């Protein structure tokens, strides 16, 4: 019995993902290259006996942002549409709300925080023996979301997914596909593995990239990050073996 999997797919390239600008609620389209890469990924990884077999998909969760929904259509659109009973547009998997940092690059965010006295160099003479440089995983975003808020919404979603997979573990359809964004999916992977996101997950997920989560020992109570996901090729039946021999 194959172990259930959760595929996490980051949306394709946008102008801001290319430039390094933080994008949460700004609804940017994919670039032409981003669309081509998603189509190439679909051709290589989606289909019968491929990494993502649509016949095994139990549910698809999609961020409400345009770039995620377009990625879904390019990746799975010939098989599913948003009206399918297996597709959910879900606010819980929208990107981390960057608040005042929307559209800014990391260096610009740190400069802004320095101006506001939030980031600073070590200054023992003034009671600051250690410096502080902004890190989204521990600091969150001004007028946006905190690490705890991200943890809360993801934990709710993960519990729902694991309950679904527990209920359907012996059925053909038991895999989940989540299509969203860079920071929220890296946070999702950390919470899946029951790790605190404030520890700064050393995980990367390229625009248009696919990651795989699963369970150790085929046990829903042992969620794990699957470092290398192989294609699942079904074993042939005795009848199919006999037909193959007859055709030789």
């Amino acid at each position: 019995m194959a172990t259930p999997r959760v595929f996490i797919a980051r949306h394709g390239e946008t102008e801001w993902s290319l430039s390094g600008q933080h994008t949460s609620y700004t609804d940017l389209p994919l670039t032409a290259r981003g669309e081509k890469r998603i189509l190439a990924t679909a051709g290589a990884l989606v289909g019968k006996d491929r990494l993502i077999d649509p016949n095994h998909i139990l549910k698809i969760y999609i961020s409400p942002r345009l770039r995620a929904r377009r990625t879904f259509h390019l990746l799975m659109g010939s098989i599913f549409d948003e009206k399918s009973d297996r597709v959910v547009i879900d606010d819980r998997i929208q990107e981390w709300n960057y608040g005042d940092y929307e559209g800014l690059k990391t260096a610009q965010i740190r400069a802004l925080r320095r101006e506001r006295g939030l980031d600073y160099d070590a200054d023992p003479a003034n009671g600051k023996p250690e410096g502080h440089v902004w890190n989204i995983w521990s600091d969150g975003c001004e007028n946006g979301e905190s690490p705890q808020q991200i943890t809360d919404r993801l934990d709710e979603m993960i519990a729902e997914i694991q309950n679904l997979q527990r209920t359907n573990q012996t059925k053909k359809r038991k895999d989940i596909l989540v299509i969203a964004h860079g920071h929220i999916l890296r946070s999702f992977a950390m919470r899946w593995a029951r790790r605190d996101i404030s520890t700064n997950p050393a995980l990367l997920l390229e625009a248009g990239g696919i990651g795989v989560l699963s369970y150790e020992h085929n046990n829903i109570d042992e969620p794990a990050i699957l470092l290398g996901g192989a294609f699942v090729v079904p074993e042939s039946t005795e009848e199919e073996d006999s037909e193959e021999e007859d055709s030789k």
Side-chain angles (χ1 to χ4, degrees):
M1 183 175 62
T3 304
R5 295 180 176 188
V6 176
F7 302 103
I8 55 174
R10 184 181 174 189
H11 65 76
E13 178 189 88
T14 68
E15 290 295 342
W16 281 13
S17 71
L18 186 60
S19 66
Q21 292 168 263
H22 287 70
T23 324
S24 54
Y25 50 80
T26 303
D27 241 350
L28 297 177
L30 303 187
T31 64
R33 182 172 65 174
E35 295 215 354
K36 289 178 182 178
R37 286 181 171 178
I38 294 297
L39 287 172
T41 298
L45 298 183
V46 178
K48 188 177 184 300
D49 298 341
R50 296 182 184 172
L51 185 66
I52 302 174
D53 187 332
N55 291 321
H56 296 165
I57 294 294
L58 176 63
K59 185 163 283 192
I60 301 173
Y61 293 87
I62 311 168
S63 161
R65 299 283 77 82
L66 173 65
R67 56 197 182 275
R69 294 167 77 164
R70 179 59 178 162
T71 296
F72 161 72
H73 287 296
L74 294 171
L75 198 63
M76 308 292 288
S78 63
I79 306 160
F80 298 101
D81 62 34
E82 290 186 7
K83 296 179 180 179
S84 168
D85 59 3
R86 284 190 270 168
V87 176
V88 179
I89 307 299
D90 200 315
D91 286 345
R92 291 175 297 179
I93 201 63
Q94 65 186 319
E95 182 58 293
W96 196 311
N97 186 337
Y98 298 126
D100 293 351
Y101 307 154
E102 181 77 1
L104 301 182
K105 299 178 182 180
T106 296
Q108 293 172 314
I109 293 170
R110 289 175 174 166
L112 176 66
R113 288 173 59 86
R114 186 174 289 273
E115 290 175 4
R116 297 177 180 177
L118 298 173
D119 283 3
Y120 49 84
D121 295 326
D123 188 359
N126 290 310
K128 297 179 179 179
E130 297 180 0
H132 184 83
V133 176
W134 177 73
N135 183 324
I136 191 171
W137 308 107
S138 56
D139 297 324
C141 303
E142 291 180 89
N143 295 312
E145 286 185 290
S146 68
Q148 187 59 55
Q149 288 173 305
I150 295 297
T151 297
D152 290 344
R153 66 172 159 108
L154 289 180
D155 283 359
E156 177 186 297
M157 184 177 182
I158 287 169
E160 178 181 304
I161 288 173
Q162 291 176 349
N163 285 335
L164 275 172
Q165 293 188 309
R166 188 188 306 277
T167 302
N168 292 274
Q169 189 168 4
T170 60
K171 299 178 182 178
K172 183 177 183 179
R173 289 181 184 169
K174 55 192 169 187
D175 292 340
I176 302 289
L177 173 61
V178 180
I179 303 176
H181 314 269
H183 272 123
I184 200 66
L185 287 176
R186 290 158 70 188
S187 302
F188 186 98
M190 284 291 284
R191 292 309 299 156
W192 182 268
R194 299 171 179 169
R195 299 294 187 270
D196 187 340
I197 66 172
S198 68
T199 59
N200 187 3
L203 302 172
L204 297 177
L205 185 58
E206 293 181 330
I210 306 286
V212 188
L213 308 174
S214 190
Y215 304 92
E216 289 193 77
H217 311 119
N218 198 25
N219 184 348
I220 302 297
D221 294 319
E222 298 183 56
I225 296 172
L226 184 56
L227 291 181
F231 288 17
V232 178
V233 179
E235 296 180 5
S236 60
T237 64
E238 291 183 6
E239 181 179 344
E240 289 171 336
D241 288 340
S242 177
E243 290 175 354
E244 186 176 343
E245 284 297 320
D246 291 343
S247 67
K248 290 181 180 178

